[in-house]
Amino acid sequence: MHLLANLAAGPTTATWVFLVLALCLALGFEFVNGFHDTANAVATVIYTHSLKPLVAVVWSGLWNLIGVLTSSGAVAYGIVALLPVELVLNVGSASGFAMVFALLISAILWNVGTWYLGLPASSSHTLIGSILGVGIANSMLAGHAFGEGVNWGKAQEVGLALLVSPLLGFIGSGLLLLVLKILVRNPALFTEPEKDKAPPWWIRGVLIGTCTGVSFAHGSNDGQKGMGLIVLILVGILPGMYALKMDHSPERIHALVVEAQAARAVFEKKAGSATLEAGKASEELSAYIKPSGSLHDQTYAALAATSQAIETKMGSIKTFGELSEADRRVVRTNFYLVGTAIAKLEKGKKIADAEDAIVATTFRKQLDSVTKYIPGWVKCAVALALGLGTTVGWKRIVVTVGEKIGKAHLTYGQGACAELVAMCTILLADNLGLPVSTTHVLSSGIAGTMAANKSGLQTQTLRNILLAWVLTLPVCIFLGSLLFAFGNYVVLNVLGLK
């Protein structure tokens, strides 16, 4: 029994069961994400009594929704870029589903555990660690070299963002507090919140404003982390509906054909006299876009051949609705292979001629616009899951942020500085397409203001947070590897799927 064949036969009961279960897991991850990261966004306004908890959570949820809805999707597909190429291309296979289930379950387990202990752990770290674990296990089960297929370059880029962003939070928040003390002489801004008493209206306005900014930034960055995975799930189970962005207009499809023609000419020129066996283009491009893949003249020949196939297929239609379900899957694969290969050429600056490079980049952007998209209902579902998670889990994180990082309680000014720097850091990462941890940026920002204020730091809390930070990646790599291997065994040997 072949899973892809079953799914291609139409949406059966088994198809819907797979779909509902996978979507519940993906949205469950975002729900748990709300325990940690969204709770940080409301921590200061709740702790300082600037807003009632229910009002703060609803307000934060609204701005998370706005952030999610206006997000570009770059972070979502930055996460997807960490996944093994063969599993992304065959996400509808049994191993593809084992991958999705393994990484989501391992991330949820670690997030719930650290939340229960009141530790501001990173949902970004958990998901990325789980993805790396799946990639490592996949290479071992396939008989490849250890870690082959894992995008270590992208992992290094993401890891650097996760490492640098807390430092920016710590240093930036501390410096901003010192500047604020010079510019604003009103002592009310630098006092601890009185029990059950709201601060002056102008302080409330500042804190509500920074809470709003962090909530929006969180939605635009953290909210994307599950989106790419949800789209992969939809493509694997319902390729006829989600393999391509179906509302592409005839004019845009025609523009894609024109760009394919121009790009093919560039690739043919670069290929020279290189030849490629019939039917080997996909194999050559799949090998090249792997982290260990190297560039050959045959790679350009494969790009030219696949671009020709895209040009021919797109030139015969006016809308994607004219394609059969099987054709949509093939077209998506071709788009993905060519787009990813061009992105790798761009990163390595392999196309020296400026005009040729512009042609290739324009073609890639056209391809990405068809495959790298997030349906509106997915954005709404993710935003709702984040908001619901916040309503359940905010209390533990608020107490940690307000009272357990510094030896003195959090002041109004410290909360505003930490949140303002967190907002700017997250939005910067969002524009760069990099996932960062709202938890780490904000908690390190609070620590930075405590250090700048000479309030002292609670070493036990910081040690626990640091321990969670250090352990998250190795633990989630182990969990992801173990669950992927177990899932593969179950679907292949127990369920008999392939």
Side-chain angles (χ1 to χ4, degrees):
M1 185 186 299
H2 196 291
L3 185 57
L4 281 174
N6 284 346
L7 296 179
T12 62
T13 301
T15 304
W16 292 115
V17 169
F18 264 109
L19 178 62
V20 171
L21 185 57
L23 290 179
C24 284
L25 276 176
L27 293 174
F29 168 77
E30 294 295 351
F31 177 81
V32 177
N33 190 359
F35 288 179
H36 290 76
D37 294 25
T38 318
N40 283 278
V42 298
T44 55
V45 288
I46 293 176
Y47 185 75
T48 60
H49 313 296
S50 296
L51 287 176
K52 296 292 185 183
L54 179 60
V55 176
V57 168
V58 172
W59 180 254
S60 177
L62 173 64
W63 283 96
N64 262 282
L65 172 61
I66 295 172
V68 169
L69 292 177
T70 58
S71 62
S72 64
V75 174
Y77 284 98
I79 291 289
V80 171
L82 291 169
L83 296 168
V85 172
E86 59 268 28
L87 294 183
V88 173
L89 291 175
N90 299 291
V91 69
S93 66
S95 292
F97 282 112
M99 168 191 74
V100 172
F101 280 83
L103 63 90
L104 287 172
I105 291 173
S106 60
I108 289 171
L109 287 175
W110 182 249
N111 270 352
V112 170
T114 51
W115 165 81
Y116 182 78
L117 297 173
L119 298 177
S122 167
S123 297
S124 301
H125 268 111
T126 57
L127 185 59
I128 290 165
S130 301
I131 288 172
L132 294 178
V134 167
I136 291 170
N138 180 65
S139 66
M140 296 174 67
L141 292 174
H144 301 316
F146 179 81
E148 182 181 342
V150 176
N151 192 339
W152 294 112
K154 186 66 177 180
Q156 184 179 11
E157 183 181 301
V158 170
L160 186 62
L162 290 172
L163 179 64
V164 171
S165 54
L167 296 177
L168 289 177
F170 183 90
I171 297 170
S173 299
L175 291 176
L176 183 58
L177 181 67
L178 295 177
V179 171
L180 197 63
K181 282 190 169 186
I182 295 172
L183 298 178
V184 181
R185 295 295 183 176
N186 193 324
L189 187 61
F190 307 105
T191 58
E192 295 179 7
E194 295 183 40
K195 187 176 181 180
D196 299 327
K197 184 178 179 181
W201 67 267
W202 63 276
I203 293 179
R204 291 184 71 190
V206 170
L207 291 169
I208 292 171
T210 55
C211 165
T212 301
V214 173
S215 299
F216 174 81
H218 176 264
S220 71
N221 191 283
D222 277 47
Q224 294 190 52
K225 288 164 189 169
M227 289 183 193
L229 297 176
I230 291 175
V231 173
L232 280 182
I233 292 167
L234 294 171
V235 169
I237 298 179
L238 300 172
M241 297 173 63
Y242 295 102
L244 303 170
K245 195 172 188 292
M246 298 301 292
D247 60 357
H248 243 47
S249 65
E251 292 77 17
R252 296 190 69 181
I253 292 176
H254 176 71
L256 197 153
V257 173
V258 173
E259 296 298 338
Q261 291 172 339
R264 174 169 58 86
V266 171
F267 299 141
E268 287 175 347
K269 180 173 64 175
K270 297 286 288 184
S273 59
T275 58
L276 197 69
E277 292 182 36
K280 292 293 185 180
S282 294
E283 184 178 324
E284 173 64 30
L285 292 180
S286 296
Y288 172 63
I289 63 178
K290 288 182 179 180
S292 58
S294 54
L295 181 63
H296 308 286
D297 288 345
Q298 285 80 7
T299 307
Y300 287 112
L303 280 167
T306 310
S307 299
Q308 172 72 67
I310 292 172
E311 178 187 337
T312 302
K313 180 62 72 174
M314 295 299 98
S316 65
I317 63 171
K318 291 185 177 180
T319 67
F320 289 135
E322 297 174 33
L323 298 173
S324 68
E325 183 174 306
D327 281 343
R328 291 175 201 175
R329 189 187 292 276
V330 172
V331 167
R332 179 185 175 86
T333 298
N334 286 340
F335 282 14
Y336 177 85
L337 288 172
V338 174
T340 308
I342 294 174
K344 187 171 181 178
L345 291 173
E346 291 172 350
K347 190 172 183 179
K349 295 180 171 58
K350 299 298 184 181
I351 303 179
D353 184 87
E355 291 186 5
D356 288 348
I358 291 172
V359 168
T361 299
T362 304
F363 185 38
R364 175 187 58 77
K365 290 178 178 179
Q366 289 272 12
L367 297 175
D368 287 350
S369 68
V370 178
T371 57
K372 295 184 178 181
Y373 73 99
I374 309 294
W377 71 265
V378 171
K379 292 184 176 183
C380 291
V382 166
L384 180 61
L386 282 171
L388 290 175
T390 306
T391 62
V392 173
W394 61 268
K395 287 186 179 180
R396 290 177 183 269
I397 302 302
V398 167
V399 172
T400 298
V401 168
E403 299 180 3
K404 294 185 178 181
I405 293 179
K407 290 183 178 179
H409 288 191
L410 183 74
T411 68
Y412 303 123
Q414 288 174 322
C417 290
E419 289 209 317
L420 182 61
V421 171
M423 175 187 72
C424 294
T425 303
I426 296 166
L427 288 176
L428 175 62
D430 191 36
N431 288 328
L432 296 174
L434 295 172
V436 294
S437 168
T438 302
T439 301
H440 286 162
V441 176
L442 186 62
S443 58
S444 63
I446 297 293
T449 62
M450 292 291 177
N453 203 41
K454 298 181 180 179
S455 302
L457 298 170
Q458 293 195 38
T459 55
Q460 181 177 358
T461 300
L462 293 180
R463 185 171 60 247
N464 289 340
I465 292 174
L466 182 62
L467 185 63
W469 190 87
V470 171
L471 289 178
T472 292
L473 274 179
V475 169
C476 289
I477 287 173
F478 173 76
L479 283 174
S481 299
L482 185 66
L483 289 172
F484 178 70
F486 175 75
N488 248 347
Y489 175 82
V490 169
V491 296
L492 293 175
N493 297 287
V494 177
L495 300 179
L497 304 175
K498 295 183 181 179

Coordinates of all heavy atoms in Angstrom, one line a residue, residues 274-317:
A274 N 27.8 20.8 -22.2 CA 27.4 19.7 -21.3 C 26.1 19.1 -21.7 O 25.2 19.8 -22.1 CB 27.3 20.3 -19.9
T275 N 26.0 17.8 -21.6 CA 24.8 17.1 -21.9 C 24.3 16.4 -20.6 O 25.0 16.1 -19.7 CB 25.1 16.0 -23.0 OG1 26.1 15.1 -22.6 CG2 25.5 16.7 -24.3
L276 N 23.0 16.0 -20.7 CA 22.4 15.3 -19.6 C 21.5 14.2 -20.1 O 20.8 14.4 -21.1 CB 21.6 16.4 -18.8 CG 21.2 16.0 -17.4 CD1 22.4 16.0 -16.4 CD2 20.1 17.1 -16.9
E277 N 21.6 13.1 -19.4 CA 20.7 12.0 -19.8 C 19.2 12.3 -19.6 O 18.9 13.1 -18.7 CB 21.0 10.7 -19.0 CG 22.4 10.1 -19.3 CD 22.6 8.9 -18.5 OE1 21.6 8.1 -18.3 OE2 23.7 8.6 -18.0
A278 N 18.4 11.8 -20.5 CA 17.0 12.1 -20.4 C 16.4 11.7 -19.0 O 16.7 10.6 -18.5 CB 16.2 11.4 -21.5
G279 N 15.6 12.5 -18.4 CA 15.0 12.2 -17.2 C 15.9 12.3 -16.0 O 15.5 12.0 -14.8
K280 N 17.1 12.9 -16.1 CA 18.1 13.0 -15.0 C 18.1 14.4 -14.5 O 18.9 14.7 -13.5 CB 19.5 12.6 -15.5 CG 19.6 11.1 -15.9 CD 19.5 10.2 -14.6 CE 19.8 8.8 -15.0 NZ 19.7 7.9 -13.8
A281 N 17.4 15.3 -15.0 CA 17.4 16.7 -14.6 C 17.1 16.9 -13.1 O 17.8 17.5 -12.3 CB 16.6 17.6 -15.4
S282 N 16.0 16.2 -12.7 CA 15.5 16.3 -11.3 C 16.6 15.7 -10.3 O 16.8 16.3 -9.3 CB 14.2 15.6 -11.1 OG 13.2 16.3 -11.8
E283 N 17.1 14.6 -10.7 CA 18.2 14.0 -9.9 C 19.4 14.9 -9.7 O 19.9 15.0 -8.6 CB 18.6 12.6 -10.6 CG 19.5 11.8 -9.8 CD 19.9 10.5 -10.5 OE1 18.9 9.9 -11.1 OE2 21.0 10.1 -10.4
E284 N 19.8 15.5 -10.8 CA 21.0 16.4 -10.8 C 20.7 17.6 -9.9 O 21.5 18.0 -9.1 CB 21.3 16.9 -12.2 CG 22.4 17.9 -12.3 CD 23.8 17.4 -11.7 OE1 24.1 16.2 -11.9 OE2 24.5 18.3 -11.2
L285 N 19.5 18.2 -10.0 CA 19.2 19.4 -9.2 C 19.0 19.0 -7.7 O 19.4 19.7 -6.8 CB 17.9 20.1 -9.7 CG 18.1 20.7 -11.1 CD1 16.7 21.4 -11.5 CD2 19.2 21.8 -11.1
S286 N 18.4 17.8 -7.5 CA 18.2 17.4 -6.1 C 19.6 17.2 -5.4 O 19.7 17.5 -4.2 CB 17.4 16.0 -6.1 OG 16.1 16.2 -6.5
A287 N 20.5 16.7 -6.2 CA 21.9 16.5 -5.6 C 22.6 17.8 -5.4 O 23.3 18.0 -4.3 CB 22.7 15.6 -6.6
Y288 N 22.4 18.8 -6.3 CA 23.0 20.0 -6.1 C 22.5 20.9 -4.9 O 23.3 21.5 -4.2 CB 22.9 20.9 -7.4 CG 23.4 22.3 -7.3 CD1 24.7 22.5 -7.0 CD2 22.5 23.4 -7.3 CE1 25.2 23.8 -6.8 CE2 23.0 24.7 -7.2 CZ 24.3 24.9 -6.9 OH 24.8 26.2 -6.7
I289 N 21.2 20.9 -4.7 CA 20.6 21.7 -3.7 C 20.9 21.2 -2.3 O 20.6 21.9 -1.3 CB 19.1 22.0 -3.9 CG1 18.3 20.7 -3.8 CG2 18.9 22.7 -5.2 CD1 16.8 20.9 -3.9
K290 N 21.4 19.9 -2.2 CA 21.8 19.4 -0.8 C 23.0 20.2 -0.3 O 23.7 20.7 -1.1 CB 22.1 17.9 -0.9 CG 20.9 17.0 -1.1 CD 21.3 15.6 -1.1 CE 20.1 14.7 -1.3 NZ 20.5 13.2 -1.4
P291 N 23.1 20.3 1.0 CA 24.2 21.1 1.5 C 25.6 20.7 1.0 O 26.5 21.5 0.8 CB 24.1 20.9 3.0 CG 22.7 20.6 3.3 CD 22.2 19.8 2.0
S292 N 25.7 19.4 0.7 CA 27.0 18.8 0.2 C 27.1 18.9 -1.3 O 28.1 18.5 -1.9 CB 27.2 17.4 0.7 OG 26.1 16.6 0.2
G293 N 26.1 19.3 -2.0 CA 26.0 19.3 -3.5 C 27.0 20.3 -4.1 O 27.2 21.4 -3.6
S294 N 27.7 19.9 -5.2 CA 28.6 20.7 -5.8 C 28.1 21.1 -7.2 O 27.3 20.4 -7.8 CB 30.0 20.0 -5.9 OG 29.9 18.8 -6.6
L295 N 28.6 22.2 -7.8 CA 28.1 22.8 -9.0 C 28.9 22.2 -10.2 O 30.2 22.2 -10.2 CB 28.3 24.3 -9.0 CG 27.8 25.0 -10.3 CD1 26.3 24.8 -10.5 CD2 28.1 26.5 -10.1
H296 N 28.2 21.7 -11.2 CA 28.9 21.2 -12.5 C 28.2 21.8 -13.7 O 27.1 22.4 -13.5 CB 28.7 19.7 -12.6 CG 29.2 18.9 -11.3 ND1 30.5 18.8 -11.0 CD2 28.5 18.3 -10.3 CE1 30.6 18.1 -9.9 NE2 29.4 17.8 -9.4
D297 N 28.8 21.6 -14.8 CA 28.2 22.1 -16.0 C 26.8 21.4 -16.2 O 25.9 22.0 -16.8 CB 29.1 21.8 -17.3 CG 30.3 22.8 -17.3 OD1 30.3 23.8 -16.5 OD2 31.2 22.5 -18.0
Q298 N 26.8 20.1 -15.8 CA 25.5 19.4 -15.9 C 24.4 20.0 -15.1 O 23.2 19.8 -15.4 CB 25.7 17.9 -15.5 CG 26.5 17.1 -16.5 CD 28.0 17.3 -16.4 OE1 28.5 18.0 -15.5 NE2 28.7 16.7 -17.4
T299 N 24.8 20.7 -14.0 CA 23.8 21.4 -13.2 C 23.1 22.5 -14.0 O 21.9 22.6 -13.9 CB 24.4 22.0 -11.9 OG1 25.2 21.0 -11.2 CG2 23.4 22.5 -11.0
Y300 N 23.9 23.2 -14.7 CA 23.3 24.3 -15.6 C 22.4 23.6 -16.7 O 21.4 24.1 -17.0 CB 24.3 25.1 -16.2 CG 25.0 26.1 -15.2 CD1 26.3 25.9 -14.8 CD2 24.2 27.1 -14.7 CE1 26.9 26.8 -13.9 CE2 24.8 28.0 -13.8 CZ 26.1 27.9 -13.4 OH 26.7 28.7 -12.5
A301 N 22.9 22.5 -17.2 CA 22.1 21.8 -18.2 C 20.8 21.3 -17.6 O 19.7 21.4 -18.3 CB 22.9 20.6 -18.7
A302 N 20.8 20.8 -16.3 CA 19.6 20.4 -15.7 C 18.6 21.6 -15.4 O 17.4 21.5 -15.6 CB 19.9 19.7 -14.3
L303 N 19.2 22.7 -15.1 CA 18.4 23.9 -14.9 C 17.7 24.4 -16.2 O 16.6 24.7 -16.2 CB 19.3 25.1 -14.3 CG 19.6 25.1 -12.8 CD1 20.7 26.1 -12.5 CD2 18.3 25.4 -12.1
A304 N 18.5 24.3 -17.3 CA 18.0 24.6 -18.6 C 16.8 23.7 -19.0 O 15.8 24.1 -19.5 CB 19.1 24.6 -19.6
A305 N 17.1 22.4 -18.8 CA 16.0 21.4 -19.2 C 14.8 21.6 -18.3 O 13.7 21.5 -18.9 CB 16.6 20.0 -19.0
T306 N 14.9 21.8 -17.0 CA 13.7 21.9 -16.2 C 13.0 23.3 -16.5 O 11.8 23.3 -16.5 CB 14.1 21.9 -14.7 OG1 15.0 20.7 -14.5 CG2 12.9 21.8 -13.8
S307 N 13.8 24.3 -16.8 CA 13.2 25.6 -17.2 C 12.4 25.4 -18.5 O 11.3 26.0 -18.6 CB 14.2 26.7 -17.3 OG 14.9 26.9 -16.1
Q308 N 12.9 24.6 -19.4 CA 12.2 24.3 -20.6 C 10.9 23.6 -20.3 O 9.9 23.9 -21.0 CB 13.1 23.5 -21.5 CG 12.4 22.9 -22.8 CD 12.2 24.0 -23.8 OE1 13.1 24.6 -24.4 NE2 10.9 24.3 -24.1
A309 N 11.0 22.6 -19.4 CA 9.7 21.9 -19.1 C 8.7 22.8 -18.4 O 7.5 22.7 -18.7 CB 10.1 20.8 -18.1
I310 N 9.2 23.7 -17.6 CA 8.3 24.7 -17.0 C 7.7 25.6 -18.1 O 6.4 25.9 -18.1 CB 9.0 25.6 -15.9 CG1 9.4 24.7 -14.7 CG2 8.2 26.8 -15.5 CD1 10.3 25.4 -13.7
E311 N 8.5 26.1 -19.0 CA 8.1 27.0 -20.0 C 7.0 26.3 -20.9 O 6.0 26.9 -21.2 CB 9.3 27.3 -20.9 CG 9.0 28.2 -22.1 CD 10.3 28.3 -23.0 OE1 11.4 28.2 -22.4 OE2 10.1 28.6 -24.2
T312 N 7.2 25.0 -21.2 CA 6.3 24.3 -22.1 C 5.0 24.0 -21.4 O 3.9 24.3 -22.0 CB 6.9 22.9 -22.5 OG1 8.1 23.1 -23.2 CG2 5.9 22.1 -23.4
K313 N 5.0 23.6 -20.1 CA 3.8 23.3 -19.4 C 3.0 24.6 -19.1 O 1.8 24.6 -19.3 CB 4.1 22.6 -18.1 CG 2.9 22.2 -17.2 CD 2.0 21.3 -17.9 CE 2.6 19.9 -17.9 NZ 1.7 18.9 -18.5
M314 N 3.7 25.6 -18.7 CA 3.0 26.9 -18.4 C 2.4 27.6 -19.6 O 1.4 28.3 -19.6 CB 3.9 27.8 -17.6 CG 4.3 27.4 -16.2 SD 2.9 27.1 -15.1 CE 2.7 25.3 -15.2
G315 N 3.1 27.4 -20.7 CA 2.7 28.0 -22.0 C 1.4 27.4 -22.5 O 0.8 28.0 -23.4
S316 N 1.0 26.3 -22.0 CA -0.2 25.6 -22.6 C -1.4 25.8 -21.7 O -2.5 25.3 -22.0 CB 0.1 24.1 -22.6 OG 0.3 23.5 -21.3
I317 N -1.3 26.6 -20.7 CA -2.4 26.9 -19.8 C -2.6 28.4 -19.5 O -1.7 29.2 -19.7 CB -2.3 26.1 -18.4 CG1 -1.0 26.7 -17.7 CG2 -2.2 24.6 -18.6 CD1 -0.9 26.2 -16.3

